[in-house]
Amino acid sequence: MAKGESKVFIDPWGAILIEDYIRVINQFGLEPFTDETLKKIPNPNRLMRRKIIFCHRDLNIILDAMKSKKPFYALTGIMPSAQKIHFGTKMVVENLKYFQDQGAITYLLVADLEAASTRGISLKESRKNALEFHIPAYIALGIDPEKTTFYFQSENKDVMRLMCILSNKVTESEFRAIYGSVSPGKVIAALLDVSDILFPQFRGKPMPGVIPVGIDQDPHIRLTRDLARKTKRVFGFVPPAAVYHKFTPSLDGSFKMSKSKPETYIELPEEPESISRKLWNAFTGGRETLEKQKRLGGVPEKCVIFEFFKQHLIEKDEELDKIYFECKSGALICGDCKHHAIELMSKFMSEFNRKLEKARDLIPSLNFIK
Ligand code: SF4
């Protein structure tokens, strides 16, 4: 960390957007996701190709496993707090799907105990939200239920056993150094996360695993890797790898996302009228006047609409490049661009809703391990 720079604390339970990704990479010893990294990845997905995944930890062990066809796993957890998800979760699901398609043994767990300890949500409500909405949503976004192992934290005795074993391997000062503060709820939630991440190796055999996350979840990854090393002699755990995606920016262009300002974000699902209104009012990289826009061009690097195209709405790279260069040259105007974004987002949302309904029918046939 450069002299005079303040330390960044990442809060996995907070709602923040990181402004300076390079600083985060340097401070936490993450590995940047470079062109060289990309060259080694078979069939990289949109988020990888566009460096929306911007860093990783130990991805090479996963790439080696993929290349040599050795077993590895990919895992993520559902926080079943409401019947909505945000676009960051969509990216997690897309990355989980990528690794599933590459042969990962896939785990999808419902963090019902964590929801109880950090958000006061009852197990009953978590179960309802997970079964009626979250699991169908993950399937609608591409997860193959037949290739996925599902469980609820509260029903998985091995996760609880592992949590008890690991609880005396971490001190209060280590916890404080990673999370910035300590409270009983946070300690329980963090140890549950660690136990979930290591569970496939605890019940099965040691093997590499990859956890796709937003950068806000890195404290859990660091704690897990630390505890995996501390208990390696007993359990042989392989510290998990992780890939980290950037955040989807707030619609007002700020780096702070606030639940109290629903106009600044779009969730899944969302009604067509509010999609139109929110995208129409979104911050762009357009100039003050049409004349200036035509003469100087826009600034797609600062444009929330362009970021939505890049992260979520446009799959073909040539199509995205065309928008970029037309914006830069002044050939494109923001009004037309917003109409295009609204059209693509509405199409995506209606497709999502259709697949969600279909996925709901699969829930009774899913097998939840205990
Ligand atoms: Fe953004 Fe499109 Fe305007 Fe360019 S023309 S600044 S990409 S909205």
Side-chain angles (χ1 to χ4, degrees):
M1 194 164 61
K3 207 175 164 193
E5 239 178 26
S6 60
K7 204 171 170 191
V8 181
F9 263 111
I10 300 180
D11 176 3
W13 299 284
I16 52 154
L17 290 178
I18 308 286
E19 207 163 349
D20 187 347
Y21 287 105
I22 305 286
R23 199 170 139 206
V24 169
I25 288 176
N26 291 338
Q27 184 178 323
F28 296 107
L30 293 150
E31 297 174 71
F33 194 90
T34 61
D35 288 338
E36 285 310 304
T37 321
L38 194 56
K39 275 185 207 153
K40 291 190 237 161
I41 298 182
N43 310 315
N45 68 12
R46 179 182 72 257
L47 303 171
M48 295 166 179
R49 291 197 312 272
R50 296 178 186 166
K51 309 266 176 56
I52 293 153
I53 290 188
F54 72 104
C55 63
H56 66 94
R57 287 191 193 274
D58 259 357
L59 181 60
N60 286 335
I61 61 167
I62 300 300
L63 298 178
D64 287 348
M66 275 158 55
K67 203 169 167 189
S68 54
K69 306 251 180 276
K70 293 214 172 109
F72 70 101
Y73 66 98
L75 173 147
T76 194
I78 289 168
M79 172 58 77
S81 46
Q83 296 211 359
K84 291 256 177 199
I85 54 175
H86 53 73
F87 274 80
T89 307
K90 173 179 168 284
M91 291 197 263
V92 168
V93 182
E94 287 181 88
N95 287 326
L96 188 72
K97 175 181 163 42
Y98 170 80
F99 290 111
Q100 181 170 64
D101 290 347
Q102 303 305 314
I105 303 163
T106 309
Y107 289 84
L108 182 53
L109 65 106
V110 181
D112 55 349
L113 289 179
E114 186 177 345
S117 73
T118 58
R119 306 190 185 190
I121 296 167
S122 71
L123 297 186
K124 196 173 161 199
E125 194 183 345
S126 280
R127 188 172 197 92
K128 183 175 184 292
N129 286 341
L131 295 179
E132 286 180 3
F133 176 72
H134 292 265
I135 295 174
Y138 279 49
I139 295 171
L141 291 172
I143 294 303
D144 182 344
E146 288 184 8
K147 294 184 186 162
T148 306
T149 299
F150 300 90
Y151 70 86
F152 285 84
Q153 271 176 342
S154 60
E155 292 178 350
N156 188 327
K157 288 204 174 67
D158 276 341
V159 166
M160 280 178 262
R161 273 179 57 216
L162 185 55
M163 186 175 107
C164 294
I165 294 167
L166 296 175
S167 65
N168 70 2
K169 303 280 185 276
V170 61
T171 64
E172 186 186 325
S173 57
E174 282 168 328
F175 195 91
R176 203 178 288 282
I178 293 177
Y179 291 94
S181 65
V182 180
S183 71
K186 280 187 179 181
V187 172
I188 288 171
L191 287 172
L192 276 167
D193 269 313
V194 172
S195 306
D196 283 325
I197 294 172
L198 294 175
F199 161 73
Q201 301 189 59
F202 185 63
R203 186 173 283 187
K205 57 180 184 185
M207 66 174 125
V210 59
I211 318 299
V213 282
I215 187 64
D216 57 326
Q217 299 301 304
D218 184 51
H220 296 323
I221 303 293
R222 275 183 275 146
L223 182 62
T224 307
R225 288 170 61 86
D226 190 35
L227 287 171
R229 283 187 208 101
K230 281 183 180 167
T231 53
K232 186 172 177 59
R233 203 172 48 80
V234 185
F235 299 115
F237 289 146
V238 181
V243 289
Y244 302 85
H245 62 77
K246 291 182 180 176
F247 290 109
T248 298
S250 199
L251 291 172
D252 62 3
S254 72
F255 283 88
K256 288 256 181 291
M257 189 141 22
S258 168
K259 278 274 170 202
S260 63
K261 291 187 194 162
E263 287 302 305
T264 62
Y265 56 87
I266 295 175
E267 291 180 301
L268 289 87
E270 181 122 6
E271 293 301 318
E273 305 76 51
S274 71
I275 288 175
S276 301
R277 188 185 63 248
K278 289 178 181 183
L279 286 177
W280 190 252
N281 292 325
F283 179 83
T284 72
R287 306 282 177 181
E288 307 80 44
T289 64
L290 189 57
E291 183 277 319
K292 256 191 170 179
Q293 175 101 355
K294 291 197 172 206
R295 184 162 46 87
L296 301 173
V299 188
E301 296 83 357
K302 286 189 181 166
C303 177
V304 171
I305 296 287
F306 186 77
E307 204 56 31
F308 265 89
F309 285 147
K310 185 172 154 187
Q311 294 191 3
H312 301 289
L313 297 175
I314 292 182
E315 189 59 45
K316 288 187 185 152
D317 293 342
E318 315 82 78
E319 209 180 310
L320 187 73
D321 287 350
K322 188 168 179 280
I323 292 177
Y324 180 85
F325 290 114
E326 286 186 357
C327 170
K328 289 294 248 189
S329 72
L332 197 58
I333 55 168
C334 296
D336 290 348
C337 220
K338 284 179 172 177
H339 277 303
H340 188 36
I342 290 166
E343 201 182 309
L344 292 178
M345 180 65 89
S346 305
K347 194 170 161 214
F348 164 77
M349 206 62 85
S350 91
E351 189 70 354
F352 170 75
N353 285 331
R354 188 184 63 75
K355 289 182 181 167
L356 182 73
E357 281 311 313
K358 222 169 142 204
R360 282 188 170 124
D361 295 340
L362 299 172
I363 298 300
S365 64
L366 297 183
N367 186 23
F368 289 82
I369 62 163
K370 298 198 172 180

